[in-house]
Amino acid sequence: MSSSAGFEPRPGTTRPRLTVVSGPSGVGKSSVVSALRALHPDLYFSVSVTTRPPRPGEVDGQHYRFIDKAEFDRLAGAGELLEHAEYAGNHYGTPRAAVEAALDAGRPAVLEIELQGARQVRAAMPGAQLVMLVPPSWETLVTRLVGRGTEDEALIAKRLAVAKEELAAESEFDKVLVNSDVQVAASELLTWVLADSFEQGRS
Ligand code: 5GP
């Protein structure tokens, strides 16, 4: 199979690999994934659905598809989400069809999701590779989360508690990436997304 995006599968393989980027809130996942997109725009970047209200500057259909709980439940119930999770009081999920279509078209796909979702992808797609982005130190994470100024104190405390749990799951991941510098982390991530990019055929 040859793809319009120019990715060629290696002999004996079919679809490119799905890479899951996970890690605690405030670690810089979005910045690293944006930098990855700038390095390689032909990769497929999943747009999640969420019941969280948009933050200032977030665009519907670009950062997330913002939906209400009824629509979220409908999608989950219909099996249209590859994975989904509740995180800090809101619901998030990855639309399945778009990811499958990208992989079928030969484009390596990247999901930026939290830990419960990463575990579901691991179970559903054993060929996926899981990358955990970690901060250089716990203090850096606290400073980033507080400095972002997008959450109030109670929400920050909630996200920090979840962050502790997420960091404790490091050993479940294939690779751990320290985000000391966004560009450096994105370059490293790109090599992993492309390396051994095509998983074995399933038939
Ligand atoms: P935020 O509200 O800060 O945008 O996202 C909160 C957390 O949800 C982040 O860790 C983010 O990576 C994660 N997230 C975003 N989209 C999805 C998704 O589709 N599924 C799951 N499981 N987590 C998601």
Side-chain angles (χ1 to χ4, degrees), residues 118-164:
R119 286 175 172 151
Q120 291 171 42
V121 174
R122 165 74 90 212
M125 301 175 95
Q129 67 178 337
L130 269 54
V131 176
M132 179 179 275
L133 199 59
V134 299
S137 68
W138 177 253
E139 289 68 33
T140 321
L141 187 70
V142 176
T143 308
R144 281 188 194 159
L145 206 48
V146 173
R148 190 159 77 176
T150 50
E151 279 90 13
D152 65 22
E153 237 169 76
L155 257 185
I156 288 173
K158 212 168 179 180
R159 283 176 179 245
L160 283 174
V162 178
K164 273 223 164 78

Side-chain angles (χ1 to χ4, degrees), residues 79 94 98 110-111 129 162 164 171 177 185:
T94 302
V110 179
L111 309 185
Q129 67 178 337
V162 178
K164 273 223 164 78
S171 64
L177 181 55

Side-chain angles (χ1 to χ4, degrees), residues 21-26 29-30 46-50 52-53 55 58 63-64 66 72 81 83-88 90-95 111-118 120-121 145 148 150-151 159 162 166:
V21 180
S22 209
S25 186
K29 290 192 297 280
S30 304
S46 170
V47 178
S48 297
V49 293
T50 184
R52 171 171 74 62
R55 295 188 186 123
E58 284 184 331
H63 297 93
Y64 282 105
F66 296 98
F72 190 95
L81 301 179
E83 59 72 36
H84 60 91
E86 185 176 346
Y87 181 94
N90 296 301
H91 298 263
Y92 299 82
T94 302
L111 309 185
E112 182 206 320
I113 61 178
E114 53 67 71
L115 178 62
Q116 303 165 67
Q120 291 171 42
V121 174
L145 206 48
R148 190 159 77 176
T150 50
E151 279 90 13
R159 283 176 179 245
V162 178
E166 298 208 296

